[in-house]
Structure formats: C-alpha cells, structure tokens
C-alpha cells in the first residue's frame, strides 16, 4: 500500500492517490486529473473510488475529468445538492484490495464535509491514517465562515467533528489534510507536511481550546474570500462538464490580432515581476505564473477572453494549467513571440519605476506608501505613515487616490506590489512605483 | 543511413551524427558531447569516427569529451599542430557500414580545413552529400581573415577549394555546412538550412565571382573577432582536458556569500532584458541566456569566478551549457533564490529606464542616442544624429562620454542595447536608458 | 526556414513539418497529430496549411485531428471525392512567411496525387526541394496497382508526372518522399533518407527506363495489399471523425474480465517473439509491438474489441499508438498485470517449440518447413523442400495441412514465423515449431 | 519542510531527502546519488548532511558519490572503522533551517546503528518523526544475525534500543524505516509504507514480546545472507572510490566480440522470464531486470566482465543501475542488437520447456519437482513429493541430481524457477522444465 501526495502550488492544495496492489482511490483530485490515472496505471493499478471530502471553493475539482479516464465512482458527503456522483453514509466502508476506508461525517467546514479513516484491513480496529479534508490541518483547523449567518453553528459542528470523530481515532494515526501552508483555507497552517493526531492534539493551538473558546475564536476569524469562490462553488456542485477540451486548443495570438481586439481582451502578463516593471503592454495585468492560483480569482473575469504574455513555452503551459484549475475556460492563447514581438512593433510600451529600500527611507514623505498585504500581516507592523488596503480590495477603493499622486506600493517582497501597480496603471494612475524587496528588505535593512 | 543535425543556438553552429546501421560518425561535435553518444546508442549504433572539419574558433569542440564516452577516433586535416587525434590525407576513405566518407582537403578558411564527401558505398562514383565545415555555407562562404597577413593567399586557397574540390562533386550533392544563419563565421548565411551544390552554384553570390573578384571581395571583408576566439584557438589545438567535470559541481551561492566576495566575482544576469531593466544587482552584467553564445566571449573573463543570476533551474542549466561550450570552466554557481533573494535582503537595487519609440521621437534632442549594432547593420540606416559604436568596442570607448550624460542605447530590438546599458551602469554612468523595440520599432512606427 | 521529418516506424511513413519564421505547413500528417502542433508551437510558429499529397492507404491520416488543434486548412489534389478539406489546382501557390509551395499535379500512384515544389520566395524560379508523396522515392517510384483494371494507364500517368513535372525542377532539388525503406508502398526504396532529383535521375533504376519499358515493368509488379487498406481508403476519403478520443480511455482489464469475455475478444500479444514462444495465453495472436504497423492490418478486425498483452507501460502505449494510426478505435485495454497475472491464475498456458539452425539441418525431413516470407524474398532462395505461403495468405490456406503435422515456420529472422505459429496454434494446429534465426541464421551458418 | 522518500525496487530499500527551506539532509543514499542532489537543487535547497543509519550490507551506499556533488558532511555512528565521514554522538543535534535531527544510538542490528529523531525546531520537546534505519520496520524489527557468535548480545541490544530509545519518543511519532516489504533485511515487513510508533507498539508482533521472548526469537531466526554482502560490507566501510565513472562507459558488444571472448564473460540475460524460456544464448544466466537487486549478488561475480542481454535501451539502463548499486563495476556492456542479433547469427540457441499447472497435476510422477523458494515459504506448504533447495543454495547441491533427470523447477510465480533453470542448463542439465505460474497457479487451480 502506498500513499502518493500531489501538491498544487499556489493553492497549497493536497490531493492523494492511494494504491493498494491493483486498485486505487483518489481523494480531492485537481482538475488536471489525468495525472492520477497515469500514475496509477504506471503502478499497474485501476482507480476504483474518487472521494471528495467537501465541496471545494478554491479550485475546480477533477473528479469528473478523472472519471472520464478511468470510470471510477465519485463519492461525497450528504448535505449539498451535488448533481453528480453518489452520497456516502457515516461509517460506510470502501475496500480496495485489503485496505479499508471508513467514512466519518465531519461537518463544520461545510455541511457535507467528510473525513476518511484508513484501516489496514476491513477487520482492523485501529486506523492507520485519516484524510481530513478541510476539517483538520497541520497546526490549524478549517474555516467555518462560508455560511456567515451560521458561524457559531458551523464552528460548533466543527468542534464536535474534531473531538468526537477525528481525534478519537487515536494518537498514532497519521494526518493527511487537504491543504498545506500558504492556503487561504487556513491562516496558520504549519510549513511541515507531516503530522499525527497525537502531535496535533498536543500542539495544534485550536485543539487546546474549550468548546466555548473555540466557537468564539472561530466566529471572530476573518478570512479572504476571493470573488471566484462563488464560481467554484457553482461548478463543483454541478460538475465541470466541458472538461479540458478547450484548454488544449489555445492559439498563438499574433500582435496584429491582439491590437485588433485589444479592448475585448484581458491581457494577463505572467512573466516575473521584474520583467513587468521593466517593460509591458500598457493596460496589461501582472500576475506572475506562480501567483495565478492565489490571485487570478480576484482580478480575472470568466467571460472576457484571456491572452497571456509569457517568456517561455513552459511558463505558458503552467499558467494555463493554473487557470484551468480555477475553471477558466476562456483562455484564447498567448501572444506569439512574447513581449519581444510587441516591443518591436512600434506600439506604446509601459514600465513601472522601481524603488529600493534606500529610496523609501529617503523619499517617502512626498509620496503615498500603500501597503497592500493582508490584514493579518499588518498586525505584525507596517511602515510608518503607510496606507493599508488589501490587494483584493484595491479596485473598490481607487477613488481614495488622485491620478497624479505618487503611489508607492509594497507588500512582503514586491511581487504583490507589482500586481497592485499594474492595476493602478491600468486604471490611469500615472505615477506609480513599486518598492522592490518591500517589507522584508525594510526589516533586513533595519536589522543590519 | 540517417543524418541527424544538431544546432547550437546562438552560435548557429551545426554538427552532424551520421548513422549507418550499427556504426556512426560525428562531424564537429560541440563540447556537451554526450548527446551524440546517447543518440547513437538509442539507435543501436557505435560511434567510430569523429571528424573536425577545421580548428574551430567560436566554441570548444567536444571531440575529446565524446571520445571519453565512446572511444572513437578523432580526425583532422594537416596544417596545424593539434596535440590530439590523428591527421587525414586528401582522398582518404572512411567507411561505416556501407557508406564512405572521402576526405577533401579544402584549405582557405584555415590551412587544415577539410570537407567530407559522403558516398552511398565505397564503390560509388557519385557523392550524395558533402560536409563543408566553414568552407561553403548556404548563400555564403567561409571567412579568410584569420591570418591577417595572408588574406589574399587564403582567399585564393578558398576559391580553389570551392571550385576545384567541392563544386566538381556535382549539382545533385546535398550541402551540410558547419554554420547556419546568425553565425559570426559568415555574414550573409541564408536562413534556410537546406541546399545543394547545384543550387549554390546558381545562387550563392560568392560563387558567381571570378577568381580575382572573389579575392578582392574577401580581402576587403570585415568580420568581428570576439576576444575569446584566441582562447578557443588555444584550447582546440591542445584538446580540452578537464572535460565537463567542473561543470557538474556548481553550487547555489547564498546572498551572504555573494556579498562577501562581491568584488572578486563576475555577476552575470541571464534573465530576460526586461527583467534586467526592471530590477537587478548593481554592477551585474546583463546577457540573456539565449545571447550568451554570441556575447559572453566579449565581456566575460576566463579567470574571475562567475555567478549567474537566473529565474529558473532550466535557464541556469542552459546558461551553464552555453558557457561551458565556450570553455568557461570558472562558473561558481547561481545565486540561491535568484534575484528575489537579493531584493528582500535590504541591499541596493538598480534599474534601467525604458523608453519606447514615442519617447525617442520626442526626446532625442537632449540626449545621446547610441547605436551599438554591427557596422553592416549601420549600412542599412541609423536614427538621425545617433552615435555608432559596436557593442564589442564599447568598453574601449567609454571616455567619449560623460558620466552624467543621458545615454540612450539601441540596437535591433533592445536586447543588445540592454547589454550595453548594463556595461555603462557598471562603469558608473548614472543616466542610461534603453530604447526598447529599437530599430525595428522605429521602422515599424514610421511605416504605420 | 526548417524542415523537420517525422518517421513512423513500421510503416516507414515520412511526414514533414516546414517552419518558416512564424508560420508552418505539414505534409501528410499521421493520425497522432498533436506532435506537429506541439513542435511548431515550441518554435513559435502556427500551422497554416496541411497538405495531403495523396489519399493514403496504409494509415489513417491526421489532417482532421491536426486541424482540431490548430485550425489550419487541409488541402488535397482533385480526382477523388474527399468529404473534407479543399482541392488545389496545378501550379497553385501557397506562401508561408517567405517560402512558397507550388502544387504539381502528379497523378499515377492515385488520380489526385500531387507533389509540392518548395521555392525560397514567391519570385524564385529555382526550386529548392520537392515533396513527392508516393510518386518518387529514393531509388524507387510509387505503386500503380491500386486500380487493377487501369494498370497501364496509371503507369503511363506516373511516367509523365515523373518526367514532365518532377524531374524538370532541376538536378539540384532535394527530394522529400512520403516513404522510406521498409514500406509496402515501394519494394526497393533505398535505406538512405537523403537524395536529390539529380542523384535519382542518374541512379534510380526506374528513371533509367524508356516509357514503354517503364509501363511494362509497372504492369507486371506485384505488391501486397493488406485487407485493412480498404478500410483506410474509406476513412481517408471521409475524414476520421472520432479522432483520438477513445484511445485515451482504454482500461486495465483484469484476468477475471478477460476470462469472462474470452470469446468475444481479440487478444493481441505484443511482447517479443521470444516471450511469446516461452509462454502465452492459448488462442492469443503474436504481433510484437514494432510489427503492428506492418501486420496488424492483415489479422486484426475493426469490430471485435482488442485486449493487449504487454510487458511494460511503454510497450502498451506504443502499441496503442500504432493501432490508432491504423484506425483501430476498438482497443479495450491491456491485461492488468501482464502475462504474469495470467500465469499465476491457474489457467492453461501455451508455448511454441523453438528450433535453431542445427535442428533444421538435422530434422527437417520428418517435418514440414513453411516459408511464410513475401514472394520477392523467395526469389532470393528458399530452404530445400520448404513450402511457400505468404504470411498474409496463411489463413486462407490452412486446409492444406493436417492438424497433427509437425509444421516448422520460418521467415527472415523468426519474428514473422512466430506470428505464423500463433495463427496456426489458434486454429488448433497442435505441433508447431518456429525456426528462430530463420533464413539469416541458415545463410550465416552455411557461410561459416 | 518536506520529506521525500526514494525506494529502490528489488531491495525495497528506502532513503530520504528532507528539505527545510534552503537546506537539506539525506539519509542512507543509494549509489546513484545524483538524484538527491538534483531533487534538492530543483527545490532550491543545498544538502548539508548525509546520514548513514548503519553500515549497509545489501547495496553500495552513495554517500561518497553524493558528497562529490554537493560537498555535504557524511555522518555515522561509532563502533565500526569507517574510513570516511565523521562519527556522531548520542543526543548530538543537527539543524537545517529550523528542524533539528537528534541522534539516538540504537545498536542491535549493527554496533554503530543510529536512529534520527526529527523535531520541528531545536527547542521542541516533542519529536515529529524518527528515521530508524534497520532497527525498526513496519511490522518487524532488524536482523541481529550479522555477528553469529553474539546473537544473544545483539538481540538484547536491539531490544533495549527499541524500548528505551525509540518507543519513548511517543506514540504520535511517524516512522521512517530503511526498508519496506520484500527486503531480505526483515522477513515480515508489512506492505504498507506508513506507520507511527504508537501503531507499531500496538501491532508490531516483535514489540509485543518480553525481553526474554524477544532474545529467544531473534536468536532462532534464520535469514538469507547472499554472498555479495561480504563485498558490500567491505566497500561500505572503506567508501566507494571509483564512483560511477566506469558505469557511464559501457559499450555495445558485437556478437563477434561476444563469441570471441565467450568463456571469459558472464552473460546475464535480463529479459523477461518468458523470453528466456522462449530463446536464449546457451550458457547465459536469466535474471530479469527487476530481480537483479535481489538475486545478482548470489550468482554474479565481481571479477569476470559482465555482458547484458536486453530487449530495450531502458531495460539496459535499469539493469546497469541495479548492478552498479550492488557495486558491480565490471559491466562491459550489452549485446548489440539484443538477442535477435544472436538468433540470426547461425549460432546455437537454447530454450526451456514451459509446463503449466495441468502438466504438473498429470506428469509430476516421472519427474523431479524442485521447490527453490525460501525456507519460510516452504513452511506454508509445498507440492507433494517436491524436493526443496533454496535458489541461493542450488549451485552447492547440484550433485544431488543426475544430468538427464527431468527436473521441473518452481517457485511462487515461475520467475525464480527460471533463474534456477538457467543455472541448471548452464551446468549441463539437459532436461529442465519450468512450472510457470508455480505455487500461485497451483493454489488458484485447487481453489477453483
């Protein structure tokens, strides 16, 4: 028996392929699902079950796509109106060759959340591992804010699921959650992808609380909910139908075609932040490839066709994979010849002024410093006099600034600050700079 | 029988693996030579002969490295003091399984230049193909300026080699030269990698000339001779000894180590031109990965350790391959964490101002426009009032400019202009801009 | 400009991708056509034209599949009722970036056969290369036996096409045919994949003949026409509709499922000949993976589901690719666990007795030696007293033998002999042996 | 923090790469050690420590090879005279970025065996995981028979190491052993590669015993000790010096060269068992590629040059990797053209008669059935009247049989039986058959 973990960078989403001799199961597949099929096949196994531990909000699940490849059964908990797959019951067993998955209904994150306890055989009384979905993470627990009117109720459900269903499996049970550090589905997930129920019971701060404390704390938590979550919820209940068919048919877009349809398109520049600062197509949006999973959902629409600006074939493929994973089937293609083709065309070009920490220390008085990090990051300190607006809220607050004001954006490193700068430039702010290195450079400079 | 062509981008160098059932030959291997061995092995063949058509000046040949892998015999023409391999005679035959290579001594580019006529069998009287090294290219012929005192003599030798040795093989013979378009070894090589002796006889402008015309024209030609050619000539006569051993042991250099040894190191930024414009380490030199083969030899020393700044693992590997191909065994490694690691360190950062064609049309009066292209490019027109200094000569002419002057560099597209800007900044010029899009943008704008 | 050749092993079919800066054309794509799209994209080019030089008989063309990926135009000659693409005229020009394809109507192999002359630019008067489809090969010419009633007429058409259309392009024109050595589309194609019109004019035996001699010789030629050619002709006129969708969804078949549906299935053992001799599933057919392209069409039906027996994942993928290329959309999957799974099941197993050349020399009197090679191979000598039946005709002639007779099959090496043995065993011949090494071993033994 | 497991098939040896931001450690690297370096580099990390949990007997460790690539420190426990690396102390700490390895001296398997407890930070009091080397496995414990005179003493040491050092780390600690199911280093290792100390404490049969029972049981255990273990012990104390240099320079051996040096060579046929049965070179030894790690050490000498017979390039590479891992630096190469080249040469060929379960049930009386499995497999039943000789002891016992006797070998599936048959044939036994499917087929047939 082997457990293979797949990590989707950006989302920090974890999915699992469990192979038991000639049969296998997949838990929470991502949309590009052929990877599970291929891996199982390589090991000589057929996938029999696809479990969804909960209705995902942060990506399009690949259950349907995977089912097309291998014909496996899709299974999820009761409590939401899934239009595909079948529902499972509490304590229901699913057997591969020898190992047995037992369903635990663990509502709290969502009403139909399940966990899956893995036993060596059907007869074992001792679980070996548990797949907890978004109920229990390493060092944190799941969000309970998706039903704003019922925050207390859901927090209480989660508390009970954790303490009455999951932890009783035993200290020696290995934990396999659905997210790692960096996910928006949990703010304090630790950066070590290994734990046990015993370790969490002792060290996970959320498991040290009484029921009342737990409910109170969960009720007060604030989490980001990027606008695309709504789209994900819909797709994941209905089942993604068109699969990846469109994805395979993107084109190279010539600069002439780009110019012709310029206003109908979303031009997404997935090159590095530095390359965007150096030179970009006026009006384009900077989201470096590795940040698409986390930020595309805030700024990219599902309707208008998307054209990518990339440096390499590989970058383009990864960008498309990330977008498809978020349900974007409106990718038209990439600019043929990349940014170079645009540069030599004789069309206008734009850049963003780059400032380092020395500039900031000297010049900040005459400018507006804009801290676009998350609220919980502000808690650990901001630069004096900086204005704070979370990147995801920036577009709603543009009228707070004048178009000619010198705006200097910063974040942790400069990458999100560059996204912010691209948004500001696209909305006609003329005088935008990025503080490269941002908060880390600021603190390192102070420390030295 | 199969002929497999390998193209080294940047140098536009062409090498060939010829497989005849179970035996094979390689012509002019590049330094990373395991690729020939692997390909031959994949097809079930053993390499028997390694031909060097001439002593190469623009890269380190891989003959010795390849010999380590497969034990084949290295062969070259007489006339230079090679310290490895064995010499071949005019008309000497080398047989694989059935096919036969016949040596043609074709001096002119270098004294020991040979061509290899390929016959279907030993008995054939009709050649099928000819490998001409640097004697005959598609639409051009080889340089004859490597022995400046004997230009006429070498031009005459080349004329005779072409007209008395190569062309008599017959119109129907397929041509396989050692360089394609873009090489510094021939200025007018056509951008189609397919030709025959008959086609060249009719259409190659250099083959339409009388002997006198030919000698006169060759004597008057000017070609670039990057400084590293001298190093290549030495290595390629002696035989590269250390092989690729050092190459495999480069390290990730931490930003602390980089800072510590800053002045002892050559920091080569191989990211895209745009990324360099956006943000770079002060003092670093911009040579984008794809341009290393063509420009490293002008600016990078063989003595001082090299540290690369790259965006991706793949870019790093390709950069190292290109440098190793030019004989750079002094690569220390790449900056761990790339430019981001430096950005967040709190150290100083630099950028270059980017100007587009609109800026140039409006602002050029108060600034110095610097055209750093090659002389033959200037012949096709420059921007009014621009100063012309070939990129390779820039460092020798820095005293022509004041450190505070606004210098705007341009080339064909902006990439070489960015190299120039990095050189200027590294020599304390404070006010340097790059005209992105450069001459192409200028002409496209005018045309529209 | 670059010409990239793709060779489909087994069929020895050659297709070409021609890239000219940002546009490209494909000639005679195979069914797995994404490969052309990917390669063009990798080089930054978009495919604009897909040429079919003729209606192919030996594989399903990938024009439609490729069109789905890139939207290019499909083009073929007039004279057959294609239900897709558009027809081209004699002398019609198709331009990429600079290079130009000119259509030459060259009927003879089929009525609508075209060749494509490639010129460096639209204005050139001198062709650089010609893509001749099945009209002219290296050392041979195309078949003219597809319309048996009109053999003379088609031979004459081909003669005129060769001498009035193709050869006049000039000696210096490089030849790119649609098949290499080993194809059933030409018996004497030379094993060197490089030639020019000038070389062929001098050395191709079919181009040395007068018109009368040519017609006479072509009329007397015999070629194999595997039964699946009929299916290919239909599909290639109509256009393959279902594309590769089914191909991607084959399953691992458990030995239980295999047993259950045993009589409804075609079990194709694609392992090596030796492995089949050693142990196989009774009733299964041996066609080693590398021989599928050449022999599947004789023995595998398009209706009954196919189950593969393979050793490795890679072998399975290659086998499926070969079958899909021949239009087999009825592949159910591969036996899970391979032959080992069947061996340990307790079911019956079969083997074939292997004889070497010593056995043959001593024992042949009491047995029937069966030479199953092609008629033209028999012409070069057979083993004394051997019976000759071409492998493709074996099933029609089974009643010539008794079920208990000791039949020893042989071919050139033993591989086709093993296919023959598997057919005989599957038809209840009890006493079948394979002479391994076959004719080659026989001759080598004699020579030693 | 990420833990990446590498499994060497055949040996079921597990090694680990632990990455903690920019630094990493490797535990028990295999000889082909560049894989760890590459993986770490891909993730942006440098390897700082290489731990050897014990002197390995079943493969050549890659510590020295890996050190050549990355310069890391090699560390092992005290008690054996290692000629490389440095010794560690009980409770010594090794810190990466944040995580901390604490050394536990856990003698018993060998005198210098160590385990490594992994803590989230230096300050943590709670271990997260433990790397136990050959001390504790999933469902089993390490062997204590390497010092035959001191079996009781070593068993007692191991008991104390388990109960006083490892288990006290806590139930919630995740277990990472050095072997999985199938290793000769533990007979009853479970086929699930996941466990915790808590799970083992409850379910590992060896942890349920009292100290006296434990010692008694360990003292009575019998384990295989293949002859090559002695060679491994020597190499692993001294440090493998020549690294992988020879490995990269194997050649294609022509059949002429093979014939010429036939008697000086070890011909190892790594094709499938079935292919060996079907046709092989007389005198060659069958060890299918996947079985080399487990069986090469019994039958292949370190002195005589090795020639491989393989079907594919990939099979050849994997076979060489497996042999190099066992310290075989005497691989000359592979037969060019594979078995086919030999078959057509006119030389003698051999095969082995294959029998299925029906034959066995009917014919066994007149033949000698030979069960060559391991003693512990015999305990679960043998076929009536079968003779039992463990495969590893076969060569010592050949005089028990007559050369003309019909010997039928069997094992679990037929694969080891084929190895046995090849040994018998190579020692002039004329009448050898293999029972394909073997014990599994026998039992499945009975059950049906």
């Amino acid at each position: 028996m082997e457990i293979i973990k797949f990590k989707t960078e950006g989302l920090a989403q974890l999915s699992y392929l469990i192979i038991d001799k000639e049969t296998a199961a997949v838990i929470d597949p991502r949309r590009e699902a052929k990877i599970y099929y291929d891996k199982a096949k390589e090991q000589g196994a057929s996938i029999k079950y696809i479990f969804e531990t909960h209705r995902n909000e942060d990506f399009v699940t690949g259950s349907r796509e995977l089912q097309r490849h291998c014909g496996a059964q899709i299974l999820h908990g009761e409590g939401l109106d899934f239009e595909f797959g079948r529902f499972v019951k509490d304590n229901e067993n699913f057997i591969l060759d020898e190992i047995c998955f037992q369903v635990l209904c663990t509502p709290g994150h969502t009403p139909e959340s399940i966990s899956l306890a893995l036993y060596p055989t059907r007869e074992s009384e001792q679980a070996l591992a548990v797949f907890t979905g978004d109920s229990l993470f390493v060092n944190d627990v799941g969000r309970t804010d998706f039903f704003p009117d019922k925050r207390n109720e859901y927090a209480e459900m989660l508390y009970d699921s954790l303490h009455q269903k999951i932890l009783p499996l035993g200290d020696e049970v290995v934990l396999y959650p659905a997210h790692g550090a960096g996910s928006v589905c949990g703010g304090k997930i630790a950066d070590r992808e290994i734990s046990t129920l015993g370790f969490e019971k002792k060290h996970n701060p959320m498991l040290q609380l009484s029921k009342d404390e737990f409910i109170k704390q969960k009720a007060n938590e604030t989490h980001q909910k990027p606008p695309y979550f709504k789209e994900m919820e819909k797709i994941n209940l209905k089942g993604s139908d068109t699969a990846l068919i469109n994805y395979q048919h993107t084109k190279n877009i010539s600069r002439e075609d780009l110019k012709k349809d310029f206003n109908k398109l979303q031009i997404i520049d997935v090159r590095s932040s530095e390359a965007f600062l150096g030179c970009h197509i006026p009006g384009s949006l900077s989201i470096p490839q590795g940040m698409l999973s986390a930020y595309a959902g805030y700024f990219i629409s599902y309707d208008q066709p998307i054209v990518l600006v990339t440096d390499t074939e590989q970058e383009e493929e990864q960008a498309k994979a990330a977008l498809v994973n978020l349900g974007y089937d409106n990718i038209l293609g990439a600019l043929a010849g990349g940014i170079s083709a645009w540069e030599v065309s004789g069309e206008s070009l734009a850049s963003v002024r780059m400032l380092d920490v020395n500039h900031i220390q000297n010049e900040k008085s005459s400018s507006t410093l804009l801290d676009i990090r998350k609220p919980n990051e502000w808690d650990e300190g901001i630069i004096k006099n900086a204005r704070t607006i979370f990147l995801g809220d920036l577009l709603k607050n543009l009228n707070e600034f004048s178009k000619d004001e010198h705006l200097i954006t910063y974040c942790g490193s400069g990458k999100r600050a560059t996204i912010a700068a691209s948004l500001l430039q696209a909305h006609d702010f003329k005088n935008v700079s990025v503080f490269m290195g941002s908060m880390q450079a600021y603190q390192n400079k102070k420390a030295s």
Side-chain angles (χ1 to χ4, degrees), chain A:
Chain A
M1 189 263 294
E2 196 181 1
I3 298 176
I4 302 166
K5 184 171 67 181
F6 296 79
K7 184 169 183 175
T8 305
E9 298 298 339
L11 297 173
Q13 191 255 335
L14 305 174
S15 55
Y16 301 93
L17 168 67
I18 301 98
I19 298 179
D20 186 23
K21 298 205 172 69
E22 292 185 12
T23 50
V26 173
I27 297 177
D28 293 327
R30 64 175 173 228
R31 196 178 186 194
E32 290 198 294
K34 190 159 180 294
I35 193 171
Y36 308 100
Y37 171 74
D38 287 345
K39 189 73 188 170
K41 194 154 186 322
E42 184 190 309
Q43 310 253 30
S46 300
I47 298 170
K48 199 168 160 187
Y49 303 119
I50 302 165
F51 294 102
E52 296 200 330
T53 59
H54 62 292
R55 188 267 327 271
N56 281 279
E57 301 85 13
D58 51 343
F59 65 99
V60 175
T61 68
S63 301
R64 295 269 292 222
E65 175 75 12
L66 180 54
Q67 192 179 47
R68 284 203 333 150
H69 285 288
C70 64
Q73 200 171 20
I74 301 172
L75 303 158
H76 26 227
E78 287 180 306
L80 286 176
D81 289 335
F82 288 97
E83 297 181 23
F84 62 101
R86 87 151 169 85
F87 296 103
V88 296
K89 300 278 178 203
D90 204 19
N91 297 321
E92 193 173 348
N93 289 326
F94 294 87
I95 296 162
L96 294 185
D97 192 79
E98 289 214 329
I99 64 169
C100 174
F101 292 97
Q102 185 169 51
V103 174
L104 309 179
C105 288
T106 50
H109 172 63
T110 58
E112 36 60 75
S113 283
I114 55 171
S115 295
L116 294 152
L118 186 159
Y119 292 84
T121 65
R122 186 176 198 153
E123 292 73 28
S124 327
E125 296 193 350
Q126 171 65 56
L128 196 55
V130 61
F131 298 84
T132 53
D134 274 17
S135 297
L136 177 60
F137 300 124
V138 173
N139 211 47
D140 202 351
V141 301
R143 294 170 62 164
T144 51
D145 63 333
F146 283 142
F147 301 84
D149 302 343
K150 303 185 174 176
R151 280 170 163 259
N152 283 14
E153 191 179 321
Y154 275 85
E156 185 173 355
M157 280 198 281
L158 181 60
Y159 185 90
D160 290 343
S161 292
L162 293 166
H163 289 274
Q164 292 170 26
K165 291 292 187 75
I166 294 171
L167 292 182
L169 292 170
D171 287 358
E172 57 282 326
V173 172
V174 182
L175 173 63
Y176 291 101
H179 283 287
S183 166
V184 294
C185 296
K188 285 158 282 165
I189 301 178
D191 177 28
R192 56 182 161 78
E193 293 177 6
I194 167 180
S195 196
T196 53
L197 294 184
F199 195 95
E200 292 306 309
K201 201 163 71 180
K202 286 187 193 163
H203 300 285
N204 187 321
M206 296 305 293
L207 298 184
Q208 314 307 314
L209 305 177
S210 73
K211 190 165 184 172
D212 284 349
E213 289 167 339
F214 183 91
I215 294 171
K216 200 170 149 194
Q217 182 159 336
K218 292 304 287 180
N220 288 327
E221 274 180 8
T222 58
H223 288 282
Q224 298 160 55
K225 195 178 169 193
Y228 84 106
F229 273 28
K230 282 226 161 328
E231 186 77 17
M232 295 302 95
E233 291 174 4
K234 261 191 299 179
I235 295 179
N236 285 336
L237 275 182
K238 196 165 164 259
S240 59
D241 256 338
T242 57
L244 295 177
I245 286 176
N246 294 322
Y247 168 44
Q248 299 181 9
H249 295 88
T250 59
K251 295 180 198 165
N252 292 326
I253 312 296
S254 70
R255 72 189 186 209
E256 288 76 19
D257 287 348
L258 182 56
K259 262 185 271 183
K260 209 172 52 190
D261 297 325
F262 201 88
N263 293 319
K264 298 179 202 148
L265 302 169
Q266 303 184 81
I267 304 175
I268 311 299
D269 192 325
V270 302
R271 297 174 304 142
S272 68
S273 303
E274 293 82 9
F276 186 87
L277 296 179
C279 186
H280 61 266
I281 300 175
S284 63
L285 175 65
S286 165
I287 311 184
Q289 179 267 315
M291 303 178 81
L292 281 169
S293 295
Y295 290 97
Y298 284 100
F299 306 115
I300 304 183
S301 128
Y302 283 88
D303 302 319
Q304 233 178 323
I306 296 168
V307 173
L308 301 172
V309 179
T310 73
D311 268 340
T312 64
E313 177 79 8
Q314 196 190 1
E315 194 177 71
E316 178 186 335
E317 291 307 316
Q318 289 172 333
K320 287 196 289 190
L323 289 172
V324 163
N325 220 19
L326 301 183
Y328 289 100
D329 289 334
N330 51 331
I331 309 171
L332 201 63
L335 174 59
I339 191 71
S340 303
W342 189 263
E343 288 166 355
V344 300
S345 69
E347 296 293 310
S348 296
L349 306 172
S351 63
V352 183
R353 199 176 156 211
M354 187 281 299
L355 303 179
D356 71 6
V357 66
N358 304 314
H359 287 93
I360 297 303
Q361 292 182 326
N362 301 328
E363 291 176 37
K364 62 189 171 186
S365 57
S366 65
S367 315
T368 304
L369 259 174
L370 201 50
D371 185 326
I372 53 77
R373 294 178 299 160
K374 300 179 199 166
N376 66 330
E377 293 173 286
W378 300 331
D379 296 347
E380 295 166 18
I382 64 166
I383 299 176
K384 204 179 154 190
N385 295 325
R387 299 271 298 274
T388 55
I389 301 181
F390 167 56
L391 175 57
D393 297 329
L394 185 58
L395 290 182
K396 287 176 264 172
N397 294 280
L398 292 179
N399 55 5
E400 294 188 18
F401 308 100
S402 99
K403 301 267 170 174
D404 296 316
E405 203 171 342
H406 182 208
L407 294 170
I408 304 172
T409 59
Y410 78 87
C411 56
S413 65
K415 294 192 195 318
R416 284 175 292 169
T418 303
I419 299 179
S422 79
L423 289 167
L424 290 165
Q425 281 196 341
H427 286 81
D428 291 329
F429 287 79
K430 305 290 184 215
N431 196 359
V432 181
S433 299
V434 163
F435 169 18
M436 213 61 193
S438 283
M439 208 59 201
Q440 289 183 62
Y442 191 79
Q443 283 161 344
N444 283 327
K445 179 76 176 182
K446 272 207 322 209
S448 70

